[in-house]
Amino acid sequence: MAGQLLLVDDEPGLREAVQAYLEDSGFTVDVASNAREGLDLARQKLPDLVITDIMMPQVDGYQFLKQLREEPQFKTLPIVFLTARGMTADRIQGYNAGCDAYISKPFDPDELVAVIKNLLEKQAAARSGGDDEVHNIADMARQIAEIRALLTQRGAIAQSTTPVKLDLTPREQSVLNLVVDGMMNKEIARRLETSVRNVEKYVSRLFVKTGTNSRTELVRYALEHGLTKE
């Protein structure tokens, strides 16, 4: 199962070796040498899973995990601790902090690959039940109603503000247009012939670029600033 991974470790030799092994196993791997770089890369790349060391200078793995979990797009992101801290108490602390797997150095690369595949499969299964940002039928109905209400006001909203220009990719623009049309992620995935996971990534990027936190806010922003075509 292919996936986009982010590896954060301050040891260059280990970082390069793990990256090479994971790429040989079919994954796309971005790397960072510290948590600050890792957070920036996570926001840019929206990885499917993060592998991080715990003992790093300035910002350690626990703080890094906390920073990720504080951002809506990373609430359910699988995170693996890959660390030399292998005592039982360390493992307990890691799981209590919210990691999804804890692997001690030295480790078997095949075990790491197996853990990653397992977590990605579980994540895919969890997502198959519905859109990531819509947790139940009531929320879905509320968001659809709010978006429809905004669409009825489309002309008035558009006339009251000044258009802005955002640096959107063609695919981001396509996804934005369909979100504004009131489509949910499954419908967008079918329309664009892609996966729900990819649509979720594009929607998350749109949230970041527009400074919004929900589909309703995103639709309002797009209408107010002339980001979609009639």
Side-chain angles (χ1 to χ4, degrees):
M1 178 184 215
Q4 185 169 334
L5 312 180
L6 172 61
L7 171 64
V8 184
D9 198 300
D10 62 331
E11 298 180 39
L14 185 138
R15 189 171 65 240
E16 292 171 8
V18 173
Q19 179 184 19
Y21 194 88
L22 292 176
E23 289 179 342
D24 287 343
S25 300
F27 298 104
T28 301
V29 185
D30 293 299
V31 296
S33 60
N34 58 63
R36 288 176 181 168
E37 288 181 10
L39 188 59
D40 287 340
L41 265 178
R43 288 167 174 161
Q44 294 171 26
K45 302 287 188 174
L46 297 173
D48 299 306
L49 181 145
V50 170
I51 307 155
T52 180
D53 192 8
I54 291 178
M55 296 183 291
M56 296 184 291
Q58 297 179 330
V59 178
D60 66 19
Y62 297 118
Q63 293 172 298
F64 178 43
L65 186 154
K66 184 175 182 294
Q67 290 172 347
L68 286 170
R69 293 289 190 239
E70 286 174 348
E71 302 200 10
Q73 66 268 37
F74 302 133
K75 288 288 186 185
T76 61
L77 177 69
I79 297 175
V80 177
F81 277 153
L82 186 62
T83 176
R85 299 180 63 171
M87 301 295 290
T88 300
D90 296 321
R91 291 175 179 274
I92 292 172
Q93 184 178 356
Y95 285 117
N96 285 339
C99 76
D100 296 276
Y102 193 111
I103 300 177
S104 301
K105 302 173 186 176
F107 63 95
D108 185 333
D110 288 334
E111 178 187 3
L112 176 60
V113 170
V115 167
I116 290 170
K117 288 182 177 179
N118 181 262
L119 289 172
L120 291 179
E121 287 170 1
K122 286 182 178 178
Q123 186 82 332
R127 292 180 188 280
S128 65
D131 292 308
D132 197 26
E133 64 278 334
V134 181
H135 300 291
N136 55 52
I137 294 174
D139 282 343
M140 183 183 294
R142 176 183 54 76
Q143 289 205 37
I144 291 173
E146 289 175 350
I147 289 172
R148 285 177 177 169
L150 287 173
L151 293 178
T152 62
Q153 306 168 33
R154 191 174 194 153
I157 293 174
Q159 291 172 9
S160 64
T161 54
T162 303
V164 299
K165 182 173 177 58
L166 290 184
D167 184 22
L168 301 180
T169 66
R171 183 48 65 99
E172 287 171 348
Q173 185 66 61
S174 297
V175 170
L176 178 60
N177 291 343
L178 294 175
V179 169
V180 170
D181 285 341
M183 291 189 183
M184 304 308 291
N185 288 356
K186 281 187 176 180
E187 297 172 289
I188 295 173
R190 286 195 294 268
R191 176 70 66 87
L192 298 181
E193 298 183 342
T194 187
S195 68
V196 173
R197 173 59 177 158
N198 282 338
V199 174
E200 290 169 353
K201 285 187 176 184
Y202 289 121
V203 172
S204 293
R205 289 174 185 167
L206 289 169
F207 287 160
V208 172
K209 289 187 175 183
T210 60
T212 57
N213 295 299
S214 71
R215 300 177 85 89
T216 307
E217 290 180 15
L218 177 60
V219 170
R220 176 174 287 280
Y221 185 94
L223 294 177
E224 287 180 344
H225 298 287
L227 296 178
T228 61
K229 296 179 180 179
E230 292 287 345

PDB file of all heavy atoms in Angstrom, residues 29-62:
ATOM      1  N   VAL A  29       8.683   9.531   0.580  1.00  0.00           N
ATOM      2  CA  VAL A  29       9.136   9.945   1.904  1.00  0.00           C
ATOM      3  C   VAL A  29       9.764  11.334   1.863  1.00  0.00           C
ATOM      4  O   VAL A  29      10.739  11.566   1.144  1.00  0.00           O
ATOM      5  CB  VAL A  29      10.172   8.953   2.484  1.00  0.00           C
ATOM      6  CG1 VAL A  29      10.535   9.337   3.917  1.00  0.00           C
ATOM      7  CG2 VAL A  29       9.631   7.525   2.444  1.00  0.00           C
ATOM      8  N   ASP A  30       9.196  12.265   2.632  1.00  0.00           N
ATOM      9  CA  ASP A  30       9.822  13.563   2.872  1.00  0.00           C
ATOM     10  C   ASP A  30      10.518  13.496   4.220  1.00  0.00           C
ATOM     11  O   ASP A  30      10.054  12.801   5.131  1.00  0.00           O
ATOM     12  CB  ASP A  30       8.769  14.672   2.889  1.00  0.00           C
ATOM     13  CG  ASP A  30       8.133  14.886   1.525  1.00  0.00           C
ATOM     14  OD1 ASP A  30       8.865  15.229   0.591  1.00  0.00           O
ATOM     15  OD2 ASP A  30       6.909  14.707   1.412  1.00  0.00           O
ATOM     16  N   VAL A  31      11.649  14.193   4.351  1.00  0.00           N
ATOM     17  CA  VAL A  31      12.415  14.117   5.595  1.00  0.00           C
ATOM     18  C   VAL A  31      12.653  15.501   6.181  1.00  0.00           C
ATOM     19  O   VAL A  31      12.723  16.497   5.466  1.00  0.00           O
ATOM     20  CB  VAL A  31      13.772  13.403   5.384  1.00  0.00           C
ATOM     21  CG1 VAL A  31      13.554  11.955   4.972  1.00  0.00           C
ATOM     22  CG2 VAL A  31      14.620  14.132   4.356  1.00  0.00           C
ATOM     23  N   ALA A  32      12.775  15.536   7.507  1.00  0.00           N
ATOM     24  CA  ALA A  32      13.100  16.766   8.233  1.00  0.00           C
ATOM     25  C   ALA A  32      14.062  16.409   9.348  1.00  0.00           C
ATOM     26  O   ALA A  32      13.997  15.312   9.913  1.00  0.00           O
ATOM     27  CB  ALA A  32      11.838  17.403   8.800  1.00  0.00           C
ATOM     28  N   SER A  33      14.962  17.336   9.667  1.00  0.00           N
ATOM     29  CA  SER A  33      15.981  17.064  10.683  1.00  0.00           C
ATOM     30  C   SER A  33      15.566  17.507  12.074  1.00  0.00           C
ATOM     31  O   SER A  33      16.248  17.225  13.050  1.00  0.00           O
ATOM     32  CB  SER A  33      17.299  17.751  10.295  1.00  0.00           C
ATOM     33  OG  SER A  33      17.111  19.158  10.199  1.00  0.00           O
ATOM     34  N   ASN A  34      14.444  18.208  12.184  1.00  0.00           N
ATOM     35  CA  ASN A  34      13.951  18.616  13.498  1.00  0.00           C
ATOM     36  C   ASN A  34      12.445  18.841  13.425  1.00  0.00           C
ATOM     37  O   ASN A  34      11.845  18.841  12.344  1.00  0.00           O
ATOM     38  CB  ASN A  34      14.668  19.876  13.998  1.00  0.00           C
ATOM     39  CG  ASN A  34      14.515  21.053  13.050  1.00  0.00           C
ATOM     40  OD1 ASN A  34      13.419  21.533  12.805  1.00  0.00           O
ATOM     41  ND2 ASN A  34      15.635  21.521  12.501  1.00  0.00           N
ATOM     42  N   ALA A  35      11.829  19.025  14.594  1.00  0.00           N
ATOM     43  CA  ALA A  35      10.378  19.123  14.663  1.00  0.00           C
ATOM     44  C   ALA A  35       9.841  20.369  13.959  1.00  0.00           C
ATOM     45  O   ALA A  35       8.752  20.331  13.379  1.00  0.00           O
ATOM     46  CB  ALA A  35       9.933  19.109  16.123  1.00  0.00           C
ATOM     47  N   ARG A  36      10.573  21.465  14.014  1.00  0.00           N
ATOM     48  CA  ARG A  36      10.080  22.685  13.368  1.00  0.00           C
ATOM     49  C   ARG A  36      10.010  22.502  11.855  1.00  0.00           C
ATOM     50  O   ARG A  36       9.027  22.894  11.221  1.00  0.00           O
ATOM     51  CB  ARG A  36      10.994  23.862  13.730  1.00  0.00           C
ATOM     52  CG  ARG A  36      10.815  24.305  15.180  1.00  0.00           C
ATOM     53  CD  ARG A  36      11.760  25.403  15.588  1.00  0.00           C
ATOM     54  NE  ARG A  36      11.564  25.780  16.981  1.00  0.00           N
ATOM     55  CZ  ARG A  36      12.393  26.552  17.670  1.00  0.00           C
ATOM     56  NH1 ARG A  36      13.479  27.040  17.090  1.00  0.00           N
ATOM     57  NH2 ARG A  36      12.132  26.845  18.933  1.00  0.00           N
ATOM     58  N   GLU A  37      11.062  21.906  11.286  1.00  0.00           N
ATOM     59  CA  GLU A  37      11.025  21.604   9.857  1.00  0.00           C
ATOM     60  C   GLU A  37       9.902  20.622   9.566  1.00  0.00           C
ATOM     61  O   GLU A  37       9.208  20.718   8.554  1.00  0.00           O
ATOM     62  CB  GLU A  37      12.355  20.987   9.410  1.00  0.00           C
ATOM     63  CG  GLU A  37      13.525  21.948   9.342  1.00  0.00           C
ATOM     64  CD  GLU A  37      14.793  21.248   8.875  1.00  0.00           C
ATOM     65  OE1 GLU A  37      14.702  20.076   8.436  1.00  0.00           O
ATOM     66  OE2 GLU A  37      15.867  21.856   8.957  1.00  0.00           O
ATOM     67  N   GLY A  38       9.736  19.654  10.481  1.00  0.00           N
ATOM     68  CA  GLY A  38       8.708  18.650  10.299  1.00  0.00           C
ATOM     69  C   GLY A  38       7.311  19.236  10.259  1.00  0.00           C
ATOM     70  O   GLY A  38       6.481  18.849   9.434  1.00  0.00           O
ATOM     71  N   LEU A  39       7.039  20.189  11.139  1.00  0.00           N
ATOM     72  CA  LEU A  39       5.717  20.808  11.182  1.00  0.00           C
ATOM     73  C   LEU A  39       5.456  21.599   9.901  1.00  0.00           C
ATOM     74  O   LEU A  39       4.354  21.547   9.340  1.00  0.00           O
ATOM     75  CB  LEU A  39       5.605  21.714  12.406  1.00  0.00           C
ATOM     76  CG  LEU A  39       4.218  22.283  12.704  1.00  0.00           C
ATOM     77  CD1 LEU A  39       3.200  21.168  12.920  1.00  0.00           C
ATOM     78  CD2 LEU A  39       4.272  23.200  13.932  1.00  0.00           C
ATOM     79  N   ASP A  40       6.473  22.321   9.431  1.00  0.00           N
ATOM     80  CA  ASP A  40       6.327  23.076   8.186  1.00  0.00           C
ATOM     81  C   ASP A  40       6.044  22.136   7.010  1.00  0.00           C
ATOM     82  O   ASP A  40       5.170  22.401   6.179  1.00  0.00           O
ATOM     83  CB  ASP A  40       7.594  23.892   7.900  1.00  0.00           C
ATOM     84  CG  ASP A  40       7.727  25.096   8.827  1.00  0.00           C
ATOM     85  OD1 ASP A  40       6.701  25.510   9.415  1.00  0.00           O
ATOM     86  OD2 ASP A  40       8.856  25.607   8.980  1.00  0.00           O
ATOM     87  N   LEU A  41       6.802  21.027   6.959  1.00  0.00           N
ATOM     88  CA  LEU A  41       6.611  20.068   5.871  1.00  0.00           C
ATOM     89  C   LEU A  41       5.244  19.396   5.950  1.00  0.00           C
ATOM     90  O   LEU A  41       4.592  19.157   4.935  1.00  0.00           O
ATOM     91  CB  LEU A  41       7.707  18.997   5.913  1.00  0.00           C
ATOM     92  CG  LEU A  41       8.933  19.215   5.026  1.00  0.00           C
ATOM     93  CD1 LEU A  41       9.933  18.086   5.225  1.00  0.00           C
ATOM     94  CD2 LEU A  41       8.527  19.306   3.556  1.00  0.00           C
ATOM     95  N   ALA A  42       4.821  19.090   7.170  1.00  0.00           N
ATOM     96  CA  ALA A  42       3.512  18.464   7.347  1.00  0.00           C
ATOM     97  C   ALA A  42       2.411  19.373   6.805  1.00  0.00           C
ATOM     98  O   ALA A  42       1.473  18.916   6.139  1.00  0.00           O
ATOM     99  CB  ALA A  42       3.273  18.146   8.820  1.00  0.00           C
ATOM    100  N   ARG A  43       2.512  20.659   7.080  1.00  0.00           N
ATOM    101  CA  ARG A  43       1.500  21.609   6.594  1.00  0.00           C
ATOM    102  C   ARG A  43       1.521  21.711   5.068  1.00  0.00           C
ATOM    103  O   ARG A  43       0.482  21.876   4.438  1.00  0.00           O
ATOM    104  CB  ARG A  43       1.764  22.988   7.202  1.00  0.00           C
ATOM    105  CG  ARG A  43       1.428  23.066   8.688  1.00  0.00           C
ATOM    106  CD  ARG A  43       2.001  24.310   9.302  1.00  0.00           C
ATOM    107  NE  ARG A  43       1.583  24.486  10.703  1.00  0.00           N
ATOM    108  CZ  ARG A  43       2.224  25.276  11.558  1.00  0.00           C
ATOM    109  NH1 ARG A  43       3.292  25.971  11.164  1.00  0.00           N
ATOM    110  NH2 ARG A  43       1.798  25.370  12.806  1.00  0.00           N
ATOM    111  N   GLN A  44       2.711  21.602   4.479  1.00  0.00           N
ATOM    112  CA  GLN A  44       2.830  21.715   3.029  1.00  0.00           C
ATOM    113  C   GLN A  44       2.397  20.443   2.315  1.00  0.00           C
ATOM    114  O   GLN A  44       1.675  20.479   1.316  1.00  0.00           O
ATOM    115  CB  GLN A  44       4.280  22.019   2.645  1.00  0.00           C
ATOM    116  CG  GLN A  44       4.786  23.375   3.096  1.00  0.00           C
ATOM    117  CD  GLN A  44       6.287  23.521   2.876  1.00  0.00           C
ATOM    118  OE1 GLN A  44       6.864  22.873   2.003  1.00  0.00           O
ATOM    119  NE2 GLN A  44       6.936  24.344   3.674  1.00  0.00           N
ATOM    120  N   LYS A  45       2.837  19.298   2.838  1.00  0.00           N
ATOM    121  CA  LYS A  45       2.663  18.027   2.134  1.00  0.00           C
ATOM    122  C   LYS A  45       1.445  17.234   2.563  1.00  0.00           C
ATOM    123  O   LYS A  45       0.990  16.353   1.829  1.00  0.00           O
ATOM    124  CB  LYS A  45       3.919  17.159   2.340  1.00  0.00           C
ATOM    125  CG  LYS A  45       5.211  17.803   1.856  1.00  0.00           C
ATOM    126  CD  LYS A  45       5.286  17.809   0.356  1.00  0.00           C
ATOM    127  CE  LYS A  45       6.655  18.281  -0.129  1.00  0.00           C
ATOM    128  NZ  LYS A  45       6.794  18.156  -1.598  1.00  0.00           N
ATOM    129  N   LEU A  46       0.920  17.494   3.768  1.00  0.00           N
ATOM    130  CA  LEU A  46      -0.212  16.738   4.310  1.00  0.00           C
ATOM    131  C   LEU A  46       0.022  15.238   4.162  1.00  0.00           C
ATOM    132  O   LEU A  46      -0.676  14.554   3.400  1.00  0.00           O
ATOM    133  CB  LEU A  46      -1.508  17.158   3.628  1.00  0.00           C
ATOM    134  CG  LEU A  46      -1.917  18.615   3.841  1.00  0.00           C
ATOM    135  CD1 LEU A  46      -3.126  18.954   2.984  1.00  0.00           C
ATOM    136  CD2 LEU A  46      -2.210  18.902   5.304  1.00  0.00           C
ATOM    137  N   PRO A  47       1.026  14.708   4.868  1.00  0.00           N
ATOM    138  CA  PRO A  47       1.376  13.293   4.718  1.00  0.00           C
ATOM    139  C   PRO A  47       0.279  12.357   5.220  1.00  0.00           C
ATOM    140  O   PRO A  47      -0.613  12.755   5.979  1.00  0.00           O
ATOM    141  CB  PRO A  47       2.640  13.166   5.583  1.00  0.00           C
ATOM    142  CG  PRO A  47       2.478  14.213   6.628  1.00  0.00           C
ATOM    143  CD  PRO A  47       1.816  15.369   5.917  1.00  0.00           C
ATOM    144  N   ASP A  48       0.381  11.094   4.798  1.00  0.00           N
ATOM    145  CA  ASP A  48      -0.556  10.075   5.266  1.00  0.00           C
ATOM    146  C   ASP A  48      -0.153   9.533   6.629  1.00  0.00           C
ATOM    147  O   ASP A  48      -0.986   8.985   7.351  1.00  0.00           O
ATOM    148  CB  ASP A  48      -0.614   8.922   4.265  1.00  0.00           C
ATOM    149  CG  ASP A  48      -1.105   9.373   2.901  1.00  0.00           C
ATOM    150  OD1 ASP A  48      -2.183   9.978   2.844  1.00  0.00           O
ATOM    151  OD2 ASP A  48      -0.405   9.121   1.904  1.00  0.00           O
ATOM    152  N   LEU A  49       1.128   9.687   6.975  1.00  0.00           N
ATOM    153  CA  LEU A  49       1.638   9.155   8.244  1.00  0.00           C
ATOM    154  C   LEU A  49       2.962   9.845   8.569  1.00  0.00           C
ATOM    155  O   LEU A  49       3.723  10.187   7.664  1.00  0.00           O
ATOM    156  CB  LEU A  49       1.832   7.642   8.125  1.00  0.00           C
ATOM    157  CG  LEU A  49       2.347   6.860   9.339  1.00  0.00           C
ATOM    158  CD1 LEU A  49       1.704   5.463   9.392  1.00  0.00           C
ATOM    159  CD2 LEU A  49       3.865   6.700   9.282  1.00  0.00           C
ATOM    160  N   VAL A  50       3.227  10.036   9.865  1.00  0.00           N
ATOM    161  CA  VAL A  50       4.475  10.658  10.321  1.00  0.00           C
ATOM    162  C   VAL A  50       5.253   9.667  11.180  1.00  0.00           C
ATOM    163  O   VAL A  50       4.687   8.994  12.039  1.00  0.00           O
ATOM    164  CB  VAL A  50       4.195  11.938  11.137  1.00  0.00           C
ATOM    165  CG1 VAL A  50       5.469  12.447  11.811  1.00  0.00           C
ATOM    166  CG2 VAL A  50       3.619  13.024  10.240  1.00  0.00           C
ATOM    167  N   ILE A  51       6.568   9.589  10.926  1.00  0.00           N
ATOM    168  CA  ILE A  51       7.485   8.805  11.758  1.00  0.00           C
ATOM    169  C   ILE A  51       8.439   9.800  12.397  1.00  0.00           C
ATOM    170  O   ILE A  51       9.082  10.595  11.681  1.00  0.00           O
ATOM    171  CB  ILE A  51       8.297   7.808  10.912  1.00  0.00           C
ATOM    172  CG1 ILE A  51       7.373   6.948  10.060  1.00  0.00           C
ATOM    173  CG2 ILE A  51       9.188   6.948  11.788  1.00  0.00           C
ATOM    174  CD1 ILE A  51       8.031   6.408   8.820  1.00  0.00           C
ATOM    175  N   THR A  52       8.541   9.796  13.711  1.00  0.00           N
ATOM    176  CA  THR A  52       9.386  10.792  14.367  1.00  0.00           C
ATOM    177  C   THR A  52      10.183  10.214  15.528  1.00  0.00           C
ATOM    178  O   THR A  52       9.710   9.309  16.222  1.00  0.00           O
ATOM    179  CB  THR A  52       8.541  11.987  14.867  1.00  0.00           C
ATOM    180  OG1 THR A  52       9.393  12.954  15.510  1.00  0.00           O
ATOM    181  CG2 THR A  52       7.484  11.544  15.867  1.00  0.00           C
ATOM    182  N   ASP A  53      11.370  10.739  15.715  1.00  0.00           N
ATOM    183  CA  ASP A  53      12.179  10.435  16.885  1.00  0.00           C
ATOM    184  C   ASP A  53      11.569  11.183  18.073  1.00  0.00           C
ATOM    185  O   ASP A  53      10.759  12.104  17.903  1.00  0.00           O
ATOM    186  CB  ASP A  53      13.612  10.903  16.633  1.00  0.00           C
ATOM    187  CG  ASP A  53      14.596  10.382  17.673  1.00  0.00           C
ATOM    188  OD1 ASP A  53      14.203   9.534  18.495  1.00  0.00           O
ATOM    189  OD2 ASP A  53      15.749  10.843  17.668  1.00  0.00           O
ATOM    190  N   ILE A  54      11.952  10.778  19.280  1.00  0.00           N
ATOM    191  CA  ILE A  54      11.516  11.502  20.477  1.00  0.00           C
ATOM    192  C   ILE A  54      12.585  12.470  20.942  1.00  0.00           C
ATOM    193  O   ILE A  54      12.322  13.650  21.181  1.00  0.00           O
ATOM    194  CB  ILE A  54      11.159  10.527  21.620  1.00  0.00           C
ATOM    195  CG1 ILE A  54       9.895   9.751  21.278  1.00  0.00           C
ATOM    196  CG2 ILE A  54      10.945  11.298  22.933  1.00  0.00           C
ATOM    197  CD1 ILE A  54       9.493   8.734  22.332  1.00  0.00           C
ATOM    198  N   MET A  55      13.817  11.970  21.052  1.00  0.00           N
ATOM    199  CA  MET A  55      14.906  12.799  21.587  1.00  0.00           C
ATOM    200  C   MET A  55      15.508  13.661  20.480  1.00  0.00           C
ATOM    201  O   MET A  55      16.388  13.233  19.736  1.00  0.00           O
ATOM    202  CB  MET A  55      15.969  11.907  22.227  1.00  0.00           C
ATOM    203  CG  MET A  55      15.457  11.152  23.438  1.00  0.00           C
ATOM    204  SD  MET A  55      16.728  10.152  24.252  1.00  0.00           S
ATOM    205  CE  MET A  55      17.003   8.886  23.018  1.00  0.00           C
ATOM    206  N   MET A  56      15.001  14.884  20.367  1.00  0.00           N
ATOM    207  CA  MET A  56      15.498  15.846  19.393  1.00  0.00           C
ATOM    208  C   MET A  56      15.716  17.178  20.097  1.00  0.00           C
ATOM    209  O   MET A  56      15.032  17.473  21.084  1.00  0.00           O
ATOM    210  CB  MET A  56      14.493  16.015  18.246  1.00  0.00           C
ATOM    211  CG  MET A  56      14.262  14.769  17.422  1.00  0.00           C
ATOM    212  SD  MET A  56      13.161  15.053  15.996  1.00  0.00           S
ATOM    213  CE  MET A  56      11.580  15.333  16.833  1.00  0.00           C
ATOM    214  N   PRO A  57      16.667  17.979  19.625  1.00  0.00           N
ATOM    215  CA  PRO A  57      16.938  19.271  20.269  1.00  0.00           C
ATOM    216  C   PRO A  57      15.786  20.250  20.093  1.00  0.00           C
ATOM    217  O   PRO A  57      15.018  20.177  19.139  1.00  0.00           O
ATOM    218  CB  PRO A  57      18.200  19.766  19.549  1.00  0.00           C
ATOM    219  CG  PRO A  57      18.176  19.065  18.227  1.00  0.00           C
ATOM    220  CD  PRO A  57      17.563  17.731  18.488  1.00  0.00           C
ATOM    221  N   GLN A  58      15.660  21.175  21.015  1.00  0.00           N
ATOM    222  CA  GLN A  58      14.678  22.270  20.998  1.00  0.00           C
ATOM    223  C   GLN A  58      13.243  21.774  21.181  1.00  0.00           C
ATOM    224  O   GLN A  58      12.620  22.041  22.203  1.00  0.00           O
ATOM    225  CB  GLN A  58      14.817  23.103  19.716  1.00  0.00           C
ATOM    226  CG  GLN A  58      16.191  23.784  19.609  1.00  0.00           C
ATOM    227  CD  GLN A  58      16.338  24.581  18.343  1.00  0.00           C
ATOM    228  OE1 GLN A  58      15.757  24.272  17.317  1.00  0.00           O
ATOM    229  NE2 GLN A  58      17.137  25.628  18.401  1.00  0.00           N
ATOM    230  N   VAL A  59      12.717  21.083  20.202  1.00  0.00           N
ATOM    231  CA  VAL A  59      11.356  20.555  20.296  1.00  0.00           C
ATOM    232  C   VAL A  59      11.434  19.033  20.205  1.00  0.00           C
ATOM    233  O   VAL A  59      11.846  18.495  19.178  1.00  0.00           O
ATOM    234  CB  VAL A  59      10.456  21.107  19.164  1.00  0.00           C
ATOM    235  CG1 VAL A  59       9.049  20.506  19.254  1.00  0.00           C
ATOM    236  CG2 VAL A  59      10.393  22.628  19.221  1.00  0.00           C
ATOM    237  N   ASP A  60      11.048  18.340  21.278  1.00  0.00           N
ATOM    238  CA  ASP A  60      11.159  16.880  21.246  1.00  0.00           C
ATOM    239  C   ASP A  60       9.927  16.251  20.591  1.00  0.00           C
ATOM    240  O   ASP A  60       8.988  16.938  20.189  1.00  0.00           O
ATOM    241  CB  ASP A  60      11.396  16.305  22.649  1.00  0.00           C
ATOM    242  CG  ASP A  60      10.210  16.511  23.590  1.00  0.00           C
ATOM    243  OD1 ASP A  60       9.089  16.770  23.118  1.00  0.00           O
ATOM    244  OD2 ASP A  60      10.424  16.412  24.825  1.00  0.00           O
ATOM    245  N   GLY A  61       9.960  14.929  20.488  1.00  0.00           N
ATOM    246  CA  GLY A  61       8.883  14.225  19.802  1.00  0.00           C
ATOM    247  C   GLY A  61       7.529  14.402  20.444  1.00  0.00           C
ATOM    248  O   GLY A  61       6.503  14.479  19.758  1.00  0.00           O
ATOM    249  N   TYR A  62       7.484  14.458  21.763  1.00  0.00           N
ATOM    250  CA  TYR A  62       6.218  14.641  22.462  1.00  0.00           C
ATOM    251  C   TYR A  62       5.604  16.003  22.131  1.00  0.00           C
ATOM    252  O   TYR A  62       4.401  16.124  21.884  1.00  0.00           O
ATOM    253  CB  TYR A  62       6.407  14.518  23.977  1.00  0.00           C
ATOM    254  CG  TYR A  62       6.872  13.157  24.423  1.00  0.00           C
ATOM    255  CD1 TYR A  62       8.097  12.989  25.068  1.00  0.00           C
ATOM    256  CD2 TYR A  62       6.091  12.021  24.205  1.00  0.00           C
ATOM    257  CE1 TYR A  62       8.528  11.739  25.486  1.00  0.00           C
ATOM    258  CE2 TYR A  62       6.508  10.765  24.617  1.00  0.00           C
ATOM    259  CZ  TYR A  62       7.733  10.627  25.257  1.00  0.00           C
ATOM    260  OH  TYR A  62       8.152   9.393  25.655  1.00  0.00           O
TER     261      TYR A  62
END
